[in-house]
Amino acid sequence: MSQSASLGESHRIALSNGTILYRDRGTGPVVLFLHGTIVTGDLWRNVVPSVSAAGYRAITPDLPFGAHEIAVPGADLSAPGAAGMVTELLERLDLSDVIVVGNQFGGVVAQLLMADHPERIRGAVLAAPDCFEYFPPPTLAYLPLAGRIPGSMRLLGLATRSRFVRQLPWVFGRTAKRPIPRDVMDNNLRPCRASAAIRDDGRRMVLRVNKRVTLAVAQRLPSFEKPVLIIWAAEDKIYPRSLAHRLHAALPNSTVRLIEDSYTWIPEDQPDALARMIIEFADKTVHEPRTTPLT
């Protein structure tokens, strides 16, 4: 599996529930990037270089969400289970005061870290995350049902060889406004097509996607008083903007910002604008605002 070199040096780490890959780039205060389903950390390949160049260390794990390279048989792949893996990664790397950035399912993991381990989190950026009743969002409500059907993951993997299928609204058509490079999508989808063990991981993951998790963590978010930046795509086709305002109401130290000309995968559609927002937030959260303008 090809990995983007822009995320930095690649490492394997054996955790209690299995081995995962993570990339590490730069030095300075840590920004942790968490991706969603059927993608890897490469989702952030056009964001991390700018954040790293601004004086931050970017840690980007490849979570076992269906596009991962190393199978994790028997691992708890629920959102709390994934949050446990990320927490252990932070412990093993001796990282605290982390700014966590999450998109879609990665945003759920970020919310769980905020609620369960606020001592390790300095601030959070929630960029179009699953939240409240939107886990899964209505567009992808079929996934937990599909996970119960034998062979469904293999059929989905085979079907997404077709560019036409990939662009259907209930596949990837509403996630990004612009076409994703074919090699990136091929890298995301190849593991599921090639490995029965990866397909089984994906099946177990989608079976555990349930709004009870996000509704429960939402009840605990008001206790997180550290800075939070909520970023929403102005043209999002999956998550209504009202969710951003509900998160803002739940989080006592939060700000909402919109990014124009983008769908849910903001790191794909508007990586430069997203990177600028993350850097500005990190500067305010970690130290005094920089005196030189960002370019």
Side-chain angles (χ1 to χ4, degrees):
M1 180 178 179
S2 167
Q3 292 184 324
S4 174
S6 70
L7 296 180
E9 187 175 354
S10 181
H11 304 270
R12 293 189 179 209
I13 185 167
L15 304 174
S16 301
N17 278 333
T19 297
I20 65 170
L21 299 173
Y22 72 93
R23 267 73 65 79
D24 189 340
R25 175 169 177 161
T27 58
V30 174
V31 182
L32 174 70
F33 290 91
L34 303 176
H35 61 81
T37 55
I38 321 299
V39 292
T40 68
D42 280 10
L43 177 74
W44 303 103
R45 68 194 180 281
N46 296 321
V47 175
V48 162
S50 296
V51 174
S52 175
Y56 294 93
R57 179 184 177 190
I59 301 291
T60 312
D62 287 346
L63 298 171
F65 291 167
H68 54 298
E69 179 179 343
I70 306 169
V72 287
D76 176 2
L77 297 182
S78 65
M85 296 182 82
V86 174
T87 301
E88 186 178 357
L89 173 66
L90 294 177
E91 292 171 349
R92 294 281 299 279
L93 298 181
D94 193 25
L95 300 177
S96 58
D97 279 344
V98 167
I99 293 176
V100 60
V101 182
N103 175 250
Q104 290 197 300
F105 196 140
V108 180
V109 175
Q111 292 168 63
L112 287 163
L113 293 176
M114 293 156 61
D116 294 332
H117 297 283
E119 73 282 358
R120 290 196 175 271
I121 308 301
R122 186 156 189 159
V125 178
L126 302 177
D130 290 305
C131 57
F132 300 107
E133 300 87 1
Y134 278 64
F135 188 54
T139 305
L140 302 176
Y142 69 91
L143 281 175
L145 300 174
R148 296 187 175 93
I149 302 172
S152 60
M153 294 295 107
R154 183 172 184 273
L155 289 175
L156 283 171
L158 292 173
T160 51
R161 288 179 183 272
S162 164
R163 194 169 210 174
F164 171 77
V165 170
R166 293 179 187 182
Q167 293 306 309
L168 291 172
W170 50 272
V171 185
F172 299 110
R174 293 182 177 177
T175 55
K177 188 174 182 180
R178 293 163 185 77
I180 307 300
R182 190 176 185 90
D183 62 324
V184 172
M185 289 305 302
D186 285 344
N187 283 337
N188 288 337
L189 297 167
R190 188 178 296 115
C192 184
R193 291 199 297 262
S195 168
I198 297 295
R199 289 195 294 273
D200 187 63
D201 287 349
R203 181 188 64 82
R204 288 184 292 110
M205 181 268 296
V206 299
L207 282 173
R208 301 298 299 276
V209 171
N210 193 296
K211 66 182 180 181
R212 288 194 295 270
V213 173
T214 41
L215 288 171
V217 75
Q219 296 297 313
R220 297 188 288 142
L221 290 180
S223 66
F224 188 83
E225 298 181 347
K226 298 176 183 180
V228 180
L229 176 60
I230 301 162
I231 300 177
W232 227 257
E235 299 178 50
D236 201 310
K237 303 296 184 183
I238 298 176
Y239 303 99
R241 198 180 303 179
S242 60
L243 293 175
H245 298 295
R246 288 173 66 187
L247 282 171
H248 177 50
L251 289 157
N253 190 8
S254 62
T255 303
V256 177
R257 294 188 67 180
L258 294 180
I259 286 187
E260 301 292 337
D261 197 24
S262 178
Y263 290 174
T264 302
W265 279 356
I266 304 171
E268 294 286 356
D269 280 333
Q270 293 292 341
D272 294 338
L274 178 58
R276 284 194 296 272
M277 288 187 183
I278 293 170
I279 294 165
E280 290 166 3
F281 173 78
D283 283 353
K284 291 176 183 177
T285 303
V286 173
H287 48 69
E288 291 298 319
R290 60 184 62 242
T291 57
T292 56
L294 296 172
T295 57

